[in-house]
Amino acid sequence: MQSNFFESLFSRKNKTSSDSIKNNKSQFCPDKKLVFSLISTRVPRLKQLKYLSHFLSRKEKIIIKSLLTLVLISFIFLGLRFYFIYLKEVPQIGGEYKEGLVGQPQYINPILAPVNEIDMDISRLVFSGLLRIDKNQKFIPDLASNWKISKDKKIYTFSLKRTIKWHDGEPFTADDVIFTVETIQNPEFKSPLWISFQDIKIEEIDEYQIRFAL
C-alpha cells in the first residue's frame, strides 16, 4: 500500500515536471514558422552579426579567424603582385644629375668637343642638333622638323622648325646651319670633325630648308 502511494506520487511529479518543461518550451521557443514569417530576409544584418560569437564554439571561432587571416593575406599578395607587374617607373621632374668625370672641360663647343671626352658629354647636354637619338637608338627630330633622303642615299634635305629662336630672340634659320658646317670645313679652325665634313656640300633651299650632298 505504501509502495503504491510513493509510486503514484513519483509518477505524478514526473508528469508535472514534464508538463512544465513543455510549457517552458512553448513559452521560450516559438514555432519556427512563426519566426520565419516575421523575418523579411534570412541574411543577417550588420547589427545582428555582433552576436555571432555567442553562438560559435571555440573551434569554430578559430576556423573563422584563420579563414579571415588567409583572405587578408591573399588580398595583400594580389595587391603587391598587381603593383609590381603594372608599376612603370618614369623620370622625376626636376632634381639634379651628377656624373663623375676625370679631367676638366676645355672647349664646351660641339665643333671642338671631340678633342675632349668631357667636352663631348657637356656639349650633348647643352647643345642641340638637327636630329637626336632616342632611347631606341633611332633618329628623331630636334632642330629639324623633318628630313628626306634620296634613293641613292647621297642627298639629305632638312626642314627646320620655325618656332626656334636663339637666346637673344633671333630666329634659327638655314644660314645658321650653313655657318656651322662651313666653320667645320675651314682648315684654320682645326675642328676634329673636318675629316667627316670635308667632301660634303651644303645648299640653302630657302630660309628654313637646307640640302646636304655627299
Side-chain angles (χ1 to χ4, degrees):
M1 184 75 178
Q2 187 176 0
S3 61
N4 291 336
F5 173 76
F6 283 111
E7 287 177 3
S8 61
L9 180 62
F10 179 75
S11 62
R12 189 176 298 174
K13 284 185 176 180
N14 286 342
K15 185 178 181 181
T16 305
S17 61
S18 62
D19 291 340
S20 62
I21 291 173
K22 289 181 180 179
N23 293 331
N24 290 335
K25 282 187 177 180
S26 62
Q27 182 179 359
F28 295 103
C29 300
D31 188 66
K32 289 183 178 180
K33 292 183 179 180
L34 177 61
V35 174
F36 287 135
S37 66
L38 296 175
I39 299 175
S40 59
T41 176
R42 294 191 179 185
V43 179
R45 296 190 295 270
L46 293 177
K47 292 182 179 180
Q48 294 173 324
L49 289 177
K50 64 181 181 181
Y51 299 106
L52 183 62
S53 60
H54 297 290
F55 301 96
L56 299 176
S57 64
R58 186 171 179 271
K59 184 178 179 181
E60 290 172 335
K61 291 179 181 179
I62 294 175
I63 293 174
I64 290 179
K65 288 181 179 179
S66 302
L67 290 175
L68 290 176
T69 304
L70 182 62
V71 170
L72 180 62
I73 294 173
S74 300
F75 273 111
I76 294 174
F77 174 77
L78 290 174
L80 291 174
R81 186 171 181 272
F82 180 85
Y83 175 79
F84 286 111
I85 289 177
Y86 296 98
L87 174 67
K88 183 179 180 181
E89 295 185 357
V90 296
Q92 183 178 2
I93 298 176
E96 297 180 356
Y97 172 79
K98 295 182 180 181
E99 180 180 352
L101 299 171
V102 179
Q104 60 184 3
Q106 297 178 4
Y107 309 105
I108 305 178
N109 187 324
I111 295 176
L112 301 173
V115 177
N116 187 351
E117 184 177 354
I118 298 176
D119 291 332
M120 287 183 62
D121 291 341
I122 296 176
S123 295
R124 288 170 181 170
L125 294 173
V126 175
F127 294 94
S128 297
L130 294 177
L131 306 175
R132 62 185 176 91
I133 300 176
D134 64 4
K135 62 180 181 180
N136 298 319
Q137 301 300 309
K138 293 183 179 180
F139 286 108
I140 58 175
D142 194 358
L143 295 175
S145 58
N146 57 75
W147 69 97
K148 297 179 181 179
I149 305 176
S150 62
K151 293 182 179 180
D152 58 3
K153 308 294 183 182
K154 291 184 178 181
I155 306 297
Y156 293 76
T157 304
F158 290 89
S159 298
L160 305 179
K161 294 179 179 178
R162 299 173 181 266
T163 57
I164 297 177
K165 297 183 181 298
W166 292 93
H167 296 80
D168 58 1
E170 292 294 321
F172 173 72
T173 63
D175 290 335
D176 299 311
V177 180
I178 293 174
F179 173 81
T180 302
V181 174
E182 290 179 348
T183 302
I184 294 173
Q185 292 175 336
N186 186 351
E188 296 182 1
F189 201 80
K190 298 180 180 181
S191 171
L193 300 174
W194 176 81
I195 297 177
S196 301
F197 280 82
Q198 61 177 336
D199 295 327
I200 295 178
K201 296 181 180 180
I202 185 170
E203 177 186 0
E204 178 181 350
I205 300 175
D206 56 38
E207 190 176 6
Y208 291 99
Q209 277 191 320
I210 48 175
R211 181 184 294 119
F212 289 88
L214 306 186

